[in-house]
Amino acid sequence: ATMCVGQCHLGGHRECLPTRQGFDGYLGIPYSNDMGRPRLSDGRSVHPLVRNEEVAELLENEDQRGITRQYTEEAVKFIERNRDRSFFLSLPHTAMHVPLYPHQDFVGRSKNGTYGDWVEEVDWRVGQILDVLRRLELDRRTLVLFTSDNGPWASRGKDGGVAGPLRGSKGCTLEGGVREPTIAWWPGTVPAGTACGAIAGTTDVLPTFVHLAGGSLREDVKIDGVDLTPLLLGKSDASPRHAWYYYNGTQPKA
């Protein structure tokens, strides 16, 4: 059983939705939450909340204060529904993309402004998912991977996040733009309290999960990712690729 809940930014056309990319079900805003359009008669900006392939609801900006909670509740229902079978859940939260809309219960909770408030909420919601895995006794049979797609949005200032000691931000190939922390949680399988500095990417998730699930990749489809199982299981700390491609900062000649 497979489901995507959240922002799947492949485009809003029907053929681009997760249900056309291998997922059994979908619930979410199919692009980033700053891409609302004035579709109401009074010009207000709205975002489509899509269930599978139909618009279930039109969300105004303030309605997004409930989106992280709604995504989490949908994810929990999916896990409970499929507790007795293998499942894959992709949960790309809208948070903490600009504009920022943490739930009212988390407004003012952090010491890092509105951005920090939404971080607090995502942290809480991830905890709810881990709790349901423990309650259903699935925690020792489930790999949870927590990561991000890119670094902070520098032009948005404090609302865009920070890259800490790293140089660069979203939209560039410096480490501040592409180097993301990743947490792998699988009690009894992924060694606890360990760290690995090997370079990997989200393109590696598909072949890794297929391997861990006992499946095989289609031979007629070119897959750019590589299997990260040795890294996750603590059997290797070496980057799995033999070749790396990077931007060298020069511009092509006209």
Side-chain angles (χ1 to χ4, degrees):
T2 58
M3 185 162 190
C4 178
V5 179
Q7 174 187 323
C8 186
H9 207 155
L10 297 179
H13 295 291
R14 193 179 299 271
E15 60 270 20
C16 299
L17 294 173
T19 47
R20 303 292 180 99
Q21 312 300 324
F23 288 95
D24 300 328
Y26 173 60
L27 177 72
I29 300 172
Y31 35 73
S32 59
N33 66 330
D34 62 335
M35 295 175 63
R37 296 292 182 267
R39 297 183 179 178
L40 302 183
S41 58
D42 58 4
R44 285 177 292 169
S45 178
V46 294
H47 311 269
L49 180 66
V50 175
R51 180 175 291 280
N52 297 326
E53 298 186 1
E54 303 296 332
V55 175
E57 187 178 354
L58 290 176
L59 303 176
E60 296 183 54
N61 282 338
E62 282 296 323
D63 294 332
Q64 293 185 56
R65 293 200 182 277
I67 197 66
T68 307
R69 179 176 184 173
Q70 191 168 357
Y71 286 168
T72 303
E73 291 174 347
E74 188 73 21
V76 168
K77 290 176 183 177
F78 172 79
I79 294 171
E80 292 176 335
R81 214 167 43 238
N82 295 284
R83 61 185 297 179
D84 296 323
R85 61 188 299 197
S86 299
F87 63 79
F88 170 66
L89 169 67
S90 178
L91 179 54
H93 274 292
T94 294
M96 280 69 59
H97 198 281
V98 178
L100 306 175
Y101 290 103
H103 190 274
Q104 291 87 341
D105 292 348
F106 293 87
V107 173
R109 283 271 297 266
S110 79
K111 297 180 181 180
N112 192 30
T114 306
Y115 185 91
D117 293 346
W118 222 2
V119 171
E120 292 261 357
E121 181 178 5
V122 169
D123 181 62
W124 174 266
R125 303 301 179 192
V126 171
Q128 288 185 302
I129 292 175
L130 298 184
D131 284 345
V132 76
L133 291 174
R134 295 186 185 100
R135 175 171 58 83
L136 298 177
E137 298 182 351
L138 297 175
D139 53 313
R140 301 183 74 84
R141 296 193 290 125
T142 305
L143 168 63
V144 177
L145 196 67
F146 184 90
T147 189
S148 182
D149 58 347
N150 53 243
W153 199 344
S155 64
R156 297 295 182 136
K158 190 176 181 180
D159 284 349
V162 295
L166 303 179
R167 186 163 62 101
S169 58
K170 174 181 179 176
C172 79
T173 54
L174 294 169
E175 283 193 272
V178 297
R179 181 177 176 178
E180 299 301 323
T182 297
I183 300 173
W185 183 86
W186 189 356
T189 300
V190 172
T194 59
C196 177
I199 299 175
T202 50
T203 52
D204 301 325
V205 171
L206 172 61
T208 302
F209 284 8
V210 169
H211 176 263
L212 291 172
S216 58
L217 298 173
R218 288 174 51 180
E219 296 182 357
D220 62 325
V221 177
K222 171 63 178 176
I223 299 295
D224 293 323
V226 295
D227 183 12
L228 302 179
T229 300
L231 298 181
L232 292 174
L233 301 186
K235 296 180 179 180
S236 173
D237 59 2
S239 298
R241 284 182 174 79
H242 300 294
W244 296 94
Y245 302 91
Y246 58 92
Y247 179 61
N248 64 9
T250 60
Q251 295 294 327
K253 294 181 180 180

